[in-house]
Amino acid sequence: MQFDVIVVGAGPAGLTAAMTAAQAGMSVLLVDTKENITRQTRPCCSMWLLEPGFHNEAWTFANNKIYFQKNDFSIPYTGATVDLYRSVRITSQGHTMVMGKKLFPIAKVIDKEKLLLDLLACAIEAGVEVRPKTTCTSIEEHDYGVDITLRHYDACERVSGKYLLAADGVDSRIADQLGLNKNRTMIIRTRIIHYYYANVNTPYTDAWVQFIGNGFNGVSGTLLRKPDHEGETNVYEVGVLPPKNSGIGLKEGMQRLISHPIIKEWLAGARLIKKTGCLWTCWTPIPQPARARTIIVGDAASFQEVENQGAIMCGLKAARAVTAQVHGEDGFGAYNRFWQKSFEFNDPKILNDTWRSFIFQQLDDGDLNYLVSLADGKLLDGYVNHFTCGNVIMQFITEQMDRIKREQPELAEKIKKMEQFKLEDHLIGDTKS
C-alpha cells in the first residue's frame, strides 16, 4: 500500500501531524502500538506551562480550544483544567520552598485522555487511516520514500510512504533503527511508577509538589492535582523515585513514600484508582531531526520530552514541512530551524542548567531541611519551567550565603563545590535498562 505520509505513534505529536497532513490533502496512515489510542498508560503530569515565551510560544484556552498565538493555529480541547499558581518543594520535616506567581497561574493541568480523544476525532474526520495495536518493526529509506513493515498481532504487512513521521516517543524505535542514537548520550534510564488517588485532602490544591531529598523513608517523589474524572473528585497523581543504586523497588518505594506522616495524613481518606508506570529515559537531543525522507517528531528527538504543548507544535510543523517538500520547498530545513529555535534543551548551557535544581539530591536530610527552611514563608519569583527553576533556586541560595557561612560553614563549602556543576555527576536513578 502507498501513502503520502506514514505517521508512527499516536500521541499528541503524531495525532496532530496526521490530522494536519490529511487536512492538506495528503493520504495518511497513522499506526500505534496501543489498542486504545486515547488511553493514558504512562505517567504524565500533563502540565501545560504558561510562562511567556516558553518554547517560543504563547497559549490561550477559550471556547473549547487551545490557541497557539505565534504559530497561528488552534486545536480542540473539551476537557477540564486545573490552574496551578506555584510549585512547592517540601522536605521531610515540612519546610517548603515555594516558587510561583501571586496573581496569575503558571501552568494548567489538562486531561490528557480527553486531549487525545479530541485530536483523534479530528484526524479521523480529516480522513486519516488509523491502525491501533500495530507496531513498526523495520524501515528502509529510499530516494523516493520509505518502506516499513507493520505487525498487527501475528500478521505482518509491507507499507510504503513518500514520507515517514516518527512520533513514537522518547525511546523511539525508529530513531534507533535509523542509527540516530549513535551520537547521543543517555543521561538517565530508570523505571518510575505513579499512583492516582481520589478524595485526597492536601493544602496544596494549586501546586505541583515535590518531596525532595530522601528523608521520606528513603525516597523522594511528587504530587499533583488532576482534573476530576469519571465521577472521581480531588484526584491527585503521586510519583516516587528511589535514589540511585538504593536497591529499593518501585512498589516498596511507593509504600515508603505514602507512609511518611505528611503524605499519609493527606491520603487518610483517599482511594487508589489507577496505576501507571514506564521506563524513563533522558537523551541528549537530536540536533537535526528532519533528514532524508523522515522527521523524528517531538519527544522522539528530545532530551526528555517536549511537553504536550511542544508535541502538538512539532506535529503541526512536521506536517507543514512535508507539504512544503511536496511543493519543492525546503520544508525539512524549516523544521530543523523551528526545532532549534523553539526548544530550550538544544542549548547545551540551558540543558546543563536544567539539572541545577537537583542540588537537593546531593544533600543529607539535615542540610536539606536547614537550607529549605531559609525559604519558609517566602515566594520565589519563578515558573514550573524546569529549564529555569534550577537557576532561581541557586540564585536564592546565593543570596543566603553570608548567613549559611555563619550558621552552617560545612554546608557552605558543599554548596561552593556544587557550583562547579557537571551534568554527568548529577545523574538520577540507574543508567542500566
Side-chain angles (χ1 to χ4, degrees), residues 24 56 73 124 185 261:
N56 197 33
F73 83 110
I124 293 172
T185 300

Side-chain angles (χ1 to χ4, degrees), residues 371-408:
L371 193 60
V372 176
S373 73
L374 302 180
D376 281 339
K378 296 180 173 63
L379 177 65
L380 279 61
D381 186 13
Y383 291 84
V384 177
N385 184 352
H386 41 266
F387 298 118
T388 59
C389 65
N391 288 331
V392 174
I393 291 171
M394 290 305 298
Q395 180 180 344
F396 171 78
I397 292 172
T398 299
E399 292 169 352
Q400 310 301 313
M401 280 303 294
D402 288 343
R403 178 178 176 181
I404 296 170
K405 288 176 182 178
R406 290 195 309 270
E407 298 177 353
Q408 299 282 343

Side-chain angles (χ1 to χ4, degrees), residues 21 29 43 45 84 114 118 152 232 312 331 357 367 406 430:
L29 172 65
C45 291
L84 301 182
K114 190 62 176 175
D118 288 338
H152 180 71
E232 304 287 0
I312 291 166
S357 61
D367 287 341
R406 290 195 309 270
D430 299 316

Side-chain angles (χ1 to χ4, degrees), residues 181-252:
N181 290 339
K182 292 179 180 178
N183 295 322
R184 306 175 75 187
T185 300
M186 184 184 292
I187 301 171
I188 292 173
R189 193 173 183 86
T190 190
R191 296 188 182 277
I192 58 174
I193 57 170
H194 285 201
Y195 286 3
Y196 286 69
Y197 290 90
N199 306 320
V200 176
N201 184 17
T202 170
Y204 300 111
T205 58
D206 65 344
W208 179 37
V209 179
Q210 299 176 63
F211 306 109
I212 59 174
N214 296 319
F216 293 87
N217 296 321
V219 299
S220 58
T222 60
L223 177 140
L224 179 65
R225 176 73 184 269
K226 313 296 286 191
D228 294 343
H229 186 65
E230 294 181 351
E232 304 287 0
T233 60
N234 294 326
V235 177
Y236 285 77
E237 182 179 7
V238 180
V240 67
L241 185 64
K244 181 180 178 180
N245 300 323
S246 66
I248 299 174
L250 290 175
K251 291 183 179 179
E252 178 190 348

Side-chain angles (χ1 to χ4, degrees), residues 60-67 74-79 81 108 118:
T60 301
F61 286 67
N63 306 317
N64 289 329
K65 290 184 178 181
I66 304 174
Y67 295 90
S74 66
I75 60 165
Y77 178 65
T78 58
T81 63
K108 289 180 179 289
D118 288 338

